[in-house]
Amino acid sequence: MGILIDKTNKVVIYGISGKYGSNQVGGMLEYGTDVVAGINPGKGGQEVHGVPIYDTMAEALSKHRINTAIIYVHGLGVKDAAVESINAGMKLVMIATEGVPLHDMMYIKNLAREKGTWVLGPNTIGVINPGECLVGSLASGYAQKGPVGVVARGGTVTIEMIRMLSEAGLGQSTCVGAGGDKVLGRNLLDYLELFEQDPETKAVVLIGEIGGQKENECSRYIPQMSKPVYFYLLGRTAPEGARMGHIGTIIAGESESFAAKRDLARKAGAVVVDTPWHLISLLQEAGIA
């Protein structure tokens, strides 16, 4: 099963005709994802990789069944695209764009909760259910089906973790890049709750970062879980006071530091690891396969 996506997802892409969007849709189509339409105002009637483009969501819906939207547009255009998608009844909206204006994202998040839409991102590389569906560009060449759920804030580290898991014979149920911006449509905790309910997932790999409270929220939930959580935290060598790559990695207090987050997770019952290789060896020793 896995979480969030499967073969039934029918995808529309905002910004499909841009260089980035065009590259992304090619990869998704190659993986087998059912990309049925694109939206680019003023470019209706054109095609990208054989996918028809429409000026609005309403036009796309008049021609296709759609339940998933991906947004590859500039930050100032994200709100309009997301609101249009949510009001159209999309079950999943992925926002790839980095640096969405804070108040725009707060509005999107609240509207999505009200309407029952799951918003992934912003600043996300996407989600993959190996062998079934790829929404975004998350490690399609590495992911293999199996029992390990993966969720992380960053994209590159998620790809590398998937590669290492697969090479070690540890397949994945679903892998998610939750997003690197400060305000996310759904926090790490929300994905832990989905993995806990998923019968295919036997263990969860949680990759966090210094800064913010998202990992600490997870630590308050982990004692309620029946499945083991393997926690790998980035930022051990980050210089004090430095701003790292993601907007969400700014440390505002001691509870958001590397040591504090690891300590809280360990006390919650998570298996706290020092390196990806340490994580792999512990999963193998536990017989997760």
Side-chain angles (χ1 to χ4, degrees):
M1 289 180 61
I3 65 171
L4 288 180
I5 60 173
D6 55 31
K7 293 179 180 178
T8 66
N9 287 76
K10 297 186 178 298
V11 180
V12 64
I13 298 178
Y14 285 82
I16 191 172
S17 64
K19 181 178 180 181
Y20 189 75
S22 177
N23 288 338
Q24 298 291 295
V25 71
M28 282 182 269
L29 288 169
E30 184 177 348
Y31 199 74
T33 300
D34 195 3
V35 181
V36 299
I39 298 176
N40 267 97
K43 295 190 177 182
Q46 300 181 26
E47 291 186 352
V48 172
H49 296 292
V51 177
I53 301 176
Y54 301 89
D55 291 318
T56 66
M57 173 68 85
E59 291 180 44
L61 284 170
S62 71
K63 302 290 185 179
H64 307 276
R65 290 177 52 234
I66 305 168
N67 55 27
T68 303
I70 303 175
I71 298 174
Y72 294 123
V73 302
H74 187 275
L76 295 178
V78 166
K79 182 180 178 182
D80 286 344
V83 169
E84 184 178 50
S85 298
I86 294 166
N87 285 332
M90 298 297 103
K91 70 175 185 178
L92 174 67
V93 175
M94 171 194 153
I95 304 174
T97 309
E98 180 177 3
V100 177
L102 188 64
H103 286 89
D104 286 0
M105 195 57 221
M106 292 170 67
Y107 182 88
I108 293 167
K109 181 170 185 170
N110 288 333
L111 179 65
R113 292 273 187 173
E114 178 185 324
K115 299 287 189 176
T117 299
W118 191 284
V119 173
L120 171 62
N123 191 11
T124 175
I125 197 169
V127 53
I128 186 168
N129 188 332
E132 294 195 40
C133 186
L134 168 67
V135 173
S137 57
L138 185 53
S140 59
Y142 299 131
Q144 296 180 9
K145 201 63 176 173
V148 181
V150 179
V151 59
R153 282 164 69 174
T156 303
V157 68
T158 314
I159 294 173
E160 185 62 14
M161 180 59 69
I162 294 169
R163 182 190 67 80
M164 294 177 68
L165 287 168
S166 294
E167 286 187 355
L170 297 162
Q172 307 90 47
S173 54
T174 305
C175 307
V176 183
D181 276 15
K182 187 174 182 62
V183 176
L184 301 178
R186 291 284 183 160
N187 288 339
L188 297 172
L189 168 61
D190 297 303
Y191 296 98
L192 287 191
E193 291 176 341
L194 290 187
F195 280 129
E196 172 66 10
Q197 298 164 14
D198 176 39
E200 185 178 351
T201 302
K202 304 304 180 187
V204 181
V205 171
L206 171 63
I207 307 173
E209 299 175 358
I210 57 174
Q213 290 291 320
K214 294 177 177 62
E215 292 80 6
N216 292 343
E217 291 173 357
C218 292
S219 292
R220 289 188 281 273
Y221 174 69
I222 287 171
Q224 305 172 43
M225 295 182 65
S226 63
K227 300 172 183 180
V229 175
Y230 294 78
F231 182 55
Y232 176 47
L233 185 67
L234 304 174
R236 178 193 296 270
T237 60
E240 186 174 352
R243 173 175 170 172
M244 310 309 290
H246 286 159
I247 294 171
T249 60
I250 300 171
I251 297 177
E254 177 56 33
S255 67
E256 301 178 5
S257 69
F258 181 84
K261 285 191 175 185
R262 277 171 55 99
D263 186 53
L264 187 60
R266 185 180 290 108
K267 289 178 179 177
V271 181
V272 178
V273 302
D274 297 318
T275 67
W277 300 274
H278 184 203
L279 190 156
I280 296 290
S281 66
L282 289 176
L283 282 169
Q284 291 174 325
E285 290 172 11
I288 306 294

